[in-house]
Amino acid sequence: MLTRVSDDSPIDDLRVLAHPLRLRILSLLTGAAMSAAEIARELDETQANVSYHVRRLHAAGLLAIDDEVQVRGGRAKRYRHDHASGPTFAQREADEERVLITTMAQELRRRAGQLADDDRRALVDAELWVDEDLWQRALATVKALGQELHDAAKPPRTPGTRHVNATAALFPMADE
């Protein structure tokens, strides 16, 4: 697991995650180590913009330097995201969690624009009441699925792979 190297407060840690481009970078770097230039090309962003966000993610302990490569007489750091580094942010307050969920929703809107014309998908949306045992099983199932997907992530456009979205936000709701 990556350790947090930032001296920022927990709310500053959350701000690192609360940006749609940073979520895209983390997703991309789960399956492959890449330099800021490679990330910029893949995400169709400027290298300067990507470099800034990569530095913030690295300082927060969400990216590790995987290796360094020679590039036109210089060296480029290649970063990788360890999805297990997320628990360093596990002690968030509810207000902070709302900010992260809102950012995830914005990113989901972008991804929905790329929805493939394919009948192999699942969509679940529910606000309901369930017993505690079912709730705990649902949480464990989603966490295990997230682990399996992250562990199996491949570099972009690897032959035999599909570009897919997996977004889940399970949380207890406060009764009004």
Side-chain angles (χ1 to χ4, degrees), residues 97-118:
E97 193 86 356
R98 285 184 193 93
V99 172
L100 180 56
I101 291 169
T102 300
T103 304
M104 290 170 59
Q106 291 169 345
E107 175 58 7
L108 185 57
R109 180 177 293 136
R110 183 198 64 81
R111 292 176 189 175
Q114 296 178 290
L115 183 68
D117 187 18
D118 187 325

Side-chain angles (χ1 to χ4, degrees), residues 11-44:
I11 191 70
D12 290 330
D13 289 341
L14 183 68
R15 286 185 186 127
V16 168
L17 292 174
H19 192 287
L21 180 56
R22 292 181 191 150
L23 294 180
R24 291 178 68 196
I25 291 169
L26 291 175
S27 292
L28 183 64
L29 296 181
T30 297
M34 300 175 94
S35 68
E38 292 168 320
I39 297 165
R41 282 191 298 273
E42 182 63 35
L43 299 180
D44 197 26

Side-chain angles (χ1 to χ4, degrees), residues 16-159:
V16 168
L17 292 174
H19 192 287
L21 180 56
R22 292 181 191 150
L23 294 180
R24 291 178 68 196
I25 291 169
L26 291 175
S27 292
L28 183 64
L29 296 181
T30 297
M34 300 175 94
S35 68
E38 292 168 320
I39 297 165
R41 282 191 298 273
E42 182 63 35
L43 299 180
D44 197 26
E45 295 284 340
T46 67
Q47 184 174 345
N49 190 28
V50 167
S51 291
Y52 169 77
H53 291 293
V54 165
R55 284 192 307 272
R56 293 289 313 270
L57 291 166
H58 181 256
L62 291 167
L63 294 180
I65 297 172
D66 193 63
D67 65 353
E68 291 190 34
V69 294
Q70 283 292 126
V71 179
R72 293 184 297 272
R75 298 194 60 74
K77 294 176 183 171
R78 299 183 83 222
Y79 297 88
R80 180 177 289 280
H81 172 57
D82 175 3
H83 64 277
S85 63
T88 62
F89 297 95
Q91 300 303 318
R92 292 184 290 266
E93 298 294 324
D95 287 343
E96 297 167 351
E97 193 86 356
R98 285 184 193 93
V99 172
L100 180 56
I101 291 169
T102 300
T103 304
M104 290 170 59
Q106 291 169 345
E107 175 58 7
L108 185 57
R109 180 177 293 136
R110 183 198 64 81
R111 292 176 189 175
Q114 296 178 290
L115 183 68
D117 187 18
D118 187 325
D119 63 351
R120 293 176 293 166
R121 57 182 166 254
L123 179 62
V124 177
D125 178 52
E127 177 181 340
L128 37 77
W129 286 256
V130 297
D131 63 51
E132 187 63 27
D133 183 54
L134 176 60
W135 173 243
Q136 293 303 321
R137 287 195 325 268
L139 286 174
T141 299
V142 170
K143 288 177 182 179
L145 177 59
Q147 180 76 39
E148 182 177 355
L149 288 168
H150 279 95
D151 288 347
K154 305 286 186 223
R157 291 173 244 306
T158 298

